[in-house]
Amino acid sequence: MSDRGSRRNTENENRIESVQIDGLVVMKLIKQCHEAESSGNAFAQGALLGLVAETRPDARLEITHCFPFPGLNDETIDDEDFQLTMMRRLRQVNVDHQHVGWYQSAQFANFLSPTLLDTQFAYQTSIEESVCLIFDTAKTSQGFISLKAFRLTAEAIKMYKDGDFSPDVVKDLKLSFESLMEEVPIIIKNSHLMNALLLELKEQLPLDIESAQFLDLGTSGTLETQLRVMMDNVDELNQESIKFNKHQNLVLKQYQDKTRWIQKRQLENQARASRGEDPLPEEDISKAFKPIPPPSRLNPLILSGTIANTADEVSEFCSQSLGKLFITEPLQNAKMSASNAQ
Amino acid sequence: MAVNIRVKVHPVVLFQITDSYERRNIDSDRVIGTLVGSVDKQCVEVTNCFSIPHKEHTDRVEADIMYAQEMFDLNKKVSPQENLVGWFATGNEVTNHSALIHDYYARETKDPIHLTLDTTLENGRMTMKAYVFVPLGVPGATTGSMFTPVPVEVVASEPEIAGLDLLHKSKHQKLLTRPIEPLPDLTKISEAAAKLEDFLDVLIRYVGSVCDGSHQADNVIGRQLWDLVQSVPKMDSEEFERMLNSNVRDLLMVIYLSQMTKTQLKLNEKLSMHSAANIKEMAKLIPSD
């Protein structure tokens, strides 16, 4: 999921170079995603409001407010209504009311799914500059804020427009799992009054709790969960690969059958011509051999993307744990030498 | 009415209030709004809030009650566990109008609290105060009520503290000169280790000064230091070496496996694309009649 720099600026007029988020939005996201997690919902979703700062060449998307969507389990609430009412009310208190994206919580990078891509496609076609913010709750409970902004690449949009996910289309557009979504860098900014508030809070809250969290040596729990997730995904990808290979084999066999059939007919025709009879009526080949529909490449792409993400997260987590272990080694040696010297 | 209520406020609420204040209409000096949260025995925990459009004239106050109702209903749909617990206002003092507004809220919930946040920075700080409405007077004679301050504090869960920590980093930057991104993990670890080092320095200096006799020895601190030293697990060096090495081996293996998985993914991608291209090529080989 690499950021594609300044490539294709002329073609894609609506490139977003960076996303600027207010501190308020960060805090609200944290609160809502963690509440959802503790109350048992699978994940939390909501809308982002803000505006687009059009200062070329640095197109920035500013996010100034957000509100959550009601739980997905409740069927009695009409989503459209809720959104419209909410936005109307917020406009009355002078909140920026342009809908610029949506957010979703995730657990260890397992957010890629067909529904997510569908929703992001719908957003990006209706509002050119929309982004999708992914907030990772599992990492935040470890103490690291993990907030990423994603947009669909131009090629992915083209693929979605056609609605055709066959291998041929994917190959032609040179799509790989890395170029489905691109990550946009995030900047966090606060107004000066907020900074004053932050200074106040710093005095009131005991802030030394956080550092202790990072230095926790117990790593096996999270590692196990992550690896299990990765293993499940790899299994699924395996299934998809098997499907694809089977399809390839079937197509190959069909080609061979076709060839043989055509040759037989030609022989027949020659035999008949030599005997002076009319050649056989032309039969439409495609009626005899129905073309086999190729399996959609969407799922394998998504799975590969998820696995790649999880692999990245796992290696980052491991390197950080290695660092922690290496810090404790000299401490232990110092303790040993101190106790030996006594 | 019991006045020993404690009020706990989450940082989100304060941020929201400040933001509403910044977005207020030109002719308003104050912003008011509703507080929602939960009440637990003597402790009121405020977890969210939203502002309400209102106008203040010299003798009366206009507030959009329908708006308040609707916003509260919307909020309830998203977080059904949040109830109305009071209201807030920016500014440093409690005015006459506050009593009227409080009256309205007293009809909605049993014992609303009133929170003020001084966004005008009157004393050079943003003071936060909370009040309850207490009836006073002599029974039998005219009774009145007054706002009594109650203790209020800011509480935050661990993820919220992590979020605040991130925001702290951005406050020293002039707007937009440098992007502040959620930091990579190793940097955080080195920062935490540096902080720990600072703490240890302070402790060592303190112990040194007590030994020299320049500082009074404090029994409480001494006992805590003793606990601290005792809590380091005692292991001899071979055990420690073994534990360290096995952990390091596990982690290295996981890193190796994940890198290998990524390479495999890329290979898989390339091979599928190639076979798709090949199949197309084969189609051209079919002789057409």
Side-chain angles (χ1 to χ4, degrees):
Chain A
M1 306 277 170
S2 50
D3 185 13
R4 283 298 179 98
S6 54
R7 194 179 59 86
R8 295 215 203 164
N9 247 336
T10 51
E11 189 176 335
N12 195 352
E13 284 302 327
N14 294 304
R15 274 204 67 76
I16 298 292
E17 296 293 334
S18 62
V19 173
Q20 186 178 291
I21 305 188
D22 266 5
L24 171 67
V25 176
V26 174
M27 296 304 292
K28 285 184 78 147
L29 281 181
I30 296 178
K31 166 186 176 295
Q32 202 232 329
C33 293
H34 280 273
E35 225 171 68
E37 194 189 358
S38 47
S39 73
N41 282 337
F43 41 81
Q45 284 180 341
L48 298 169
L49 305 169
L51 47 108
V52 182
E54 281 287 341
T55 58
R56 291 253 157 260
D58 177 29
R60 235 181 22 243
L61 180 68
E62 294 194 20
I63 301 185
T64 50
H65 210 88
C66 68
F67 62 83
F69 289 156
L72 308 155
N73 318 325
D74 209 336
E75 303 294 338
T76 56
I77 301 170
D78 190 7
D79 261 343
E80 279 289 330
D81 256 351
F82 182 87
Q83 278 196 48
L84 285 172
T85 331
M86 200 69 171
M87 283 170 58
R88 222 180 334 130
R89 291 306 183 181
L90 285 176
R91 199 181 327 181
Q92 285 179 315
V93 277
N94 301 333
V95 176
D96 301 319
H97 53 268
Q98 191 183 359
H99 202 160
V100 292
W102 63 299
Y103 65 86
Q104 185 175 305
S105 68
Q107 298 265 348
F108 280 134
N110 66 343
F111 52 88
L112 274 182
S113 71
T115 27
L116 181 129
L117 291 176
D118 275 336
T119 330
Q120 178 63 8
F121 175 66
Y123 266 90
Q124 233 167 294
T125 40
S126 51
I127 307 164
E128 282 290 345
E129 297 86 6
S130 56
V131 298
C132 168
L133 269 187
I134 298 289
F135 182 80
D136 198 331
T137 45
K139 275 196 95 174
T140 337
S141 33
Q142 286 178 340
F144 306 104
I145 300 286
S146 162
L147 199 60
K148 296 206 172 78
F150 286 110
R151 304 188 75 224
L152 286 175
T153 50
E155 301 109 335
I157 294 185
K158 250 190 278 179
M159 185 174 85
Y160 254 92
K161 272 211 179 100
D162 302 330
D164 181 14
F165 301 120
S166 65
D168 298 333
V169 173
V170 171
K171 181 183 78 73
D172 289 335
L173 294 176
K174 290 200 182 16
L175 265 180
S176 78
F177 60 86
E178 282 169 344
S179 61
L180 262 188
M181 305 258 265
E182 55 177 3
E183 192 175 329
V184 187
I186 294 181
I187 304 178
I188 299 189
K189 113 165 173 21
N190 280 321
S191 67
H192 295 294
L193 203 53
M194 297 275 201
N195 290 340
L197 179 64
L198 278 174
L199 289 169
E200 274 287 332
L201 287 176
K202 194 166 179 136
E203 293 188 12
Q204 296 209 12
L205 280 178
L207 280 180
D208 47 354
I209 298 182
E210 14 143 344
S211 33
Q213 257 179 316
F214 299 148
L215 299 176
D216 180 23
L217 285 179
T219 55
S220 48
T222 29
L223 211 54
E224 251 178 77
T225 344
Q226 279 179 318
L227 282 179
R228 203 161 289 154
V229 166
M230 206 155 82
M231 282 196 301
D232 287 337
N233 283 332
V234 169
D235 279 336
E236 279 188 32
L237 186 62
N238 197 16
Q239 296 293 333
E240 294 282 334
S241 298
I242 293 179
K243 256 201 290 189
F244 184 67
N245 283 340
K246 263 203 218 142
H247 163 76
Q248 301 278 48
N249 286 340
L250 281 177
V251 170
L252 210 56
K253 253 186 16 190
Q254 197 186 49
Y255 284 162
Q256 289 172 340
D257 285 343
K258 268 194 198 174
T259 325
R260 255 179 299 153
W261 192 82
I262 291 178
Q263 284 176 342
K264 244 180 32 183
R265 285 187 61 87
Q266 284 180 342
L267 282 176
E268 273 272 342
N269 280 340
Q270 281 174 358
R272 284 197 179 195
S274 63
R275 275 182 295 175
E277 290 173 13
D278 295 321
L280 281 173
E282 289 299 319
E283 260 184 52
D284 198 2
I285 282 194
S286 48
K287 266 195 289 187
F289 294 93
K290 280 192 271 301
I292 309 175
S296 147
R297 289 299 297 169
L298 186 62
N299 259 348
L301 278 176
I302 292 181
L303 284 169
S304 318
T306 320
I307 299 179
N309 260 351
T310 327
D312 278 336
E313 301 264 336
V314 164
S315 10
E316 217 182 298
F317 182 69
C318 286
S319 39
Q320 149 218 134
S321 315
L322 271 178
K324 282 192 269 200
L325 281 180
F326 280 120
I327 293 182
T328 56
E329 188 179 2
L331 281 179
Q332 177 72 2
N333 290 341
K335 188 164 83 94
M336 281 296 118
S337 53
S339 54
N340 287 342
Q342 277 172 2
Chain B
M1 198 175 305
V3 194
N4 47 348
I5 298 184
R6 299 185 60 81
V7 179
K8 297 194 174 153
V9 179
H10 280 252
V12 180
V13 175
L14 299 174
F15 274 92
Q16 179 84 41
I17 300 179
T18 322
D19 187 63
S20 317
Y21 179 74
E22 286 175 358
R23 293 175 184 282
R24 70 190 186 289
N25 289 325
I26 308 265
D27 48 357
S28 313
D29 280 332
R30 301 210 291 173
V31 179
I32 66 168
T34 315
L35 296 169
V36 292
S38 49
V39 182
D40 181 28
K41 286 185 242 187
Q42 300 292 25
C43 171
V44 177
E45 190 163 340
V46 183
T47 49
N48 206 353
C49 68
F50 48 85
S51 61
I52 297 175
H54 87 296
K55 287 202 209 5
E56 279 185 17
H57 306 271
T58 38
D59 52 347
R60 59 197 167 89
V61 175
E62 291 171 1
D64 196 344
I65 307 254
M66 281 302 304
Y67 182 98
Q69 274 292 67
E70 214 176 58
M71 276 299 264
F72 182 61
D73 285 335
L74 290 176
N75 199 340
K76 210 66 172 137
K77 287 192 189 140
V78 179
S79 337
Q81 76 277 15
E82 288 182 345
N83 302 316
L84 199 127
V85 296
W87 64 292
F88 70 83
T90 57
N92 205 6
E93 37 182 41
V94 179
T95 64
N96 300 335
H97 302 310
S98 307
L100 293 168
I101 306 176
H102 199 91
D103 202 28
Y104 161 68
Y105 277 99
R107 275 177 262 143
E108 300 279 327
T109 177
K110 193 168 63 103
D111 192 9
I113 54 169
H114 170 47
L115 188 73
T116 58
L117 183 70
D118 185 13
T119 42
T120 55
L121 299 172
E122 213 178 283
N123 301 331
R125 298 184 57 138
M126 266 185 151
T127 38
M128 177 176 60
K129 300 204 194 91
Y131 304 92
V132 249
F133 218 37
V134 175
L136 55 78
V138 182
T142 48
T143 52
S145 313
M146 76 161 190
F147 282 106
T148 316
V150 288
V152 61
E153 56 182 4
V154 179
V155 295
S157 56
E158 279 175 3
E160 288 178 340
I161 296 186
L164 280 178
D165 187 41
L166 181 62
L167 296 177
H168 276 305
K169 303 247 169 38
S170 70
K171 72 176 184 281
H172 289 303
Q173 303 292 329
K174 296 229 187 323
L175 290 177
L176 309 173
T177 45
R178 213 185 71 184
I180 302 296
E181 305 173 333
L183 290 174
D185 297 346
L186 277 180
T187 330
K188 279 235 166 89
I189 299 261
S190 63
E191 270 180 23
K195 259 195 235 170
L196 199 60
E197 219 182 326
D198 285 337
F199 287 151
L200 285 176
D201 276 338
V202 170
L203 274 181
I204 292 178
R205 263 203 309 261
Y206 171 75
V207 170
S209 61
V210 168
C211 286
D212 291 339
S214 52
H215 208 102
Q216 266 295 41
D218 190 350
N219 278 342
V220 176
I221 299 187
R223 254 178 252 128
Q224 280 185 340
L225 276 176
W226 178 249
D227 282 338
L228 183 71
V229 172
Q230 287 298 325
S231 63
V232 177
K234 286 207 178 356
M235 269 187 286
D236 50 353
S237 44
E238 298 123 29
E239 251 189 68
F240 184 75
E241 285 284 325
R242 251 180 311 164
M243 181 200 82
L244 190 71
N245 282 335
S246 69
N247 269 351
V248 168
R249 268 200 299 266
D250 286 340
L251 292 173
L252 284 176
M253 185 183 77
V254 171
I255 293 183
Y256 171 70
L257 282 177
S258 54
Q259 296 297 333
M260 198 164 72
T261 322
K262 280 185 74 171
T263 329
Q264 289 252 342
L265 284 176
K266 289 221 174 71
L267 271 177
N268 184 14
E269 199 77 30
K270 277 233 153 32
L271 286 174
S272 327
M273 288 306 111
H274 264 291
S275 67
N278 278 346
I279 292 281
K280 263 178 103 166
E281 292 287 322
M282 299 261 324
K284 298 190 190 130
L285 289 178
I286 300 179
S288 48
D289 47 349

